[in-house]
Amino acid sequence: MADEDENMIKCGKVGRSLKECRFFQSPFVEISDNAYSMLVAKYGTHVVCLPAVNSSGIDEIWLRRWQVVGGNCIVQVVIDDEESVLKAAGVIQEHFSSTVSAIDIILPQADNSNLDDQMYQRLLKSIKTLHTKFSCPIACKLMISHNDIDKTIRMAEQLHHAGCKVILLHGRIHGDHKPSVLKKIHWGLIKEIRDSVSKETVVVLEIGCQSVHEVERCLAFTGVDGLAVAEPLLWNPSFFLEKRPSAVQMMKDYTDLCMKCATQLDIAKETILKFSGYILNRFSGMKDRLVSATTYEELDEIVVSLDEELGKLSKKQVKSLEKLQQRKERYRMKKIRRREETMGLTSNSGESDDILSEDRLTKKETKQARKEKVTTALLSGQRVAIDLSLEEHMTDKEITKVAGQIRRLYGSNLKSPQPFHVYLTGMDRNGRIYKECTRQNEGFEKYLIDITERKVPDIFESESIVYLSPDSPNILGELDEHKVYVIGGLVDHQVIKGVSLGKADSSKINTARLPIDEYMQKGEPGNHSYSRVLTINQVFDILLKFHETKDWVQALGSGVPKRKGFILKQSREISKPNLVS
């Protein structure tokens, strides 16, 4: 018993030092190059994760390779059997006692995601055994269940009671090595989990982000102890630093570490291209020299040559080049996020089977599946109409914008797991809007939309119509399948108040506005308009997201542009007024 208490005290001491570490390399991005792990640690990453290794594979060769890394690190151990994992933990504790922050326990072929009850109980048992016998903290990955946050909290508490000192929260589906799907819209859920889990447990969150400033904001908001990033560290080893070292300095430091670690030359060249390839491409022949290099001496010569070329540029030109490189990296991250959204992985209310299945379909099959869903919606889906009879209030430039917004809302409807039955009403086929739509949108006539010259009151019964207007005194609460929701097809740069409301009142039609004031508030001071007037496609996307999730927090959080200056209220601040459907 005394030994157990001593181990717990030791573990607690290590845990407290680990709490001082805020910046982590994600274990889901494998850096098998120990020199690059050392470079990442040198440039501000507090804790690096060594590649997963089977418990029976921790031998002298493995020790010689990874002992050189130094600094704080997490060793990922895949359990072969109980005996070998105990032996592996003993070896790690003996030889890495000053550098290992935690041992991350992984079940074979499971990655601790989507575990059945029997496997999960086995994991808890292994953690408890290791915690009892060793002082080194035990870590474990935990996938966040967006459908059931209470389940995530319950599992985190069970891990804590078993002796797990470090929990890595992530959003990767079934442990797949796909980009992190946790974004700003999920921060509220993360905060709820962190507040519910024991403060003795170090909670680390893997998140997709574009800058260290976003990391700092996430830490402050969610209260987690640390953040782990994946892909950005492959492009920029100094991601966590405020000021990025020059490409020359990073290449020099990395090649020095490669020679110290005896890194294979081909691995070194491939790694350099990942974090400095953009700069090398800007100078004729520099990349070709790197690719054809056969010794580290040649790499040193390339570094010197690059330094000379950059020295010929003005400070302004160098700064511009660095900014272009950073912009390229941000574009990469945005591309990853767009791919996540296409796969349907960012929904806070749960992953749609229909959307997830698209990742396994061919492009042709995906297109056909989407068309079938929209065709079904034309028969029985929720009705939404765009009133295009307001053409007289717009200039030609504004008409052009209307056509573009119609194209975007049609694209959103095609991709939605629950598309609307969309009407374009009051569209004169000889008018400017129709002509602009056919000019901008190839195949517009074949859109899966009801296009008619008739106006809203001539198509639908007046009691079933709800005209959406930011000036309405009524607040939209639910979507009634028996009603049709009308969005004014108006782009008005002068923001003439009351156009859509006056039109509805003159026709004695019910009106409503989106509950922006009820769920959002003004954010930090800045160059914001704080306007409730949204574009046609923005209103459409908000309705579409609410139709999918039945949650105004998600719908407004993802649909109201940040430039408007609004932020979501905390749940306790949200009022529940009398809403209309």
Side-chain angles (χ1 to χ4, degrees), residues 38 132 184:
M38 294 171 70
T132 303
K184 192 169 184 178

Short mmCIF file of all heavy atoms in Angstrom, two decimals, residues 38 132 184:
data_model
loop_
_atom_site.label_atom_id
_atom_site.label_comp_id
_atom_site.label_asym_id
_atom_site.label_seq_id
_atom_site.Cartn_x
_atom_site.Cartn_y
_atom_site.Cartn_z
N MET A 38 13.08 16.27 -32.80
CA MET A 38 13.95 17.17 -32.02
C MET A 38 13.81 18.61 -32.50
O MET A 38 13.83 19.55 -31.70
CB MET A 38 15.40 16.71 -32.13
CG MET A 38 15.64 15.35 -31.48
SD MET A 38 17.28 14.68 -31.81
CE MET A 38 18.31 15.79 -30.86
N THR A 132 -0.81 1.22 -11.05
CA THR A 132 -0.46 0.67 -9.74
C THR A 132 1.02 0.34 -9.64
O THR A 132 1.65 0.55 -8.60
CB THR A 132 -1.28 -0.61 -9.47
OG1 THR A 132 -2.67 -0.29 -9.55
CG2 THR A 132 -0.98 -1.16 -8.09
N LYS A 184 -13.86 25.61 -34.06
CA LYS A 184 -14.34 26.59 -33.09
C LYS A 184 -15.78 26.33 -32.67
O LYS A 184 -16.16 26.58 -31.53
CB LYS A 184 -14.22 28.00 -33.67
CG LYS A 184 -14.42 29.10 -32.64
CD LYS A 184 -14.01 30.44 -33.20
CE LYS A 184 -14.13 31.51 -32.13
NZ LYS A 184 -13.70 32.85 -32.63
#
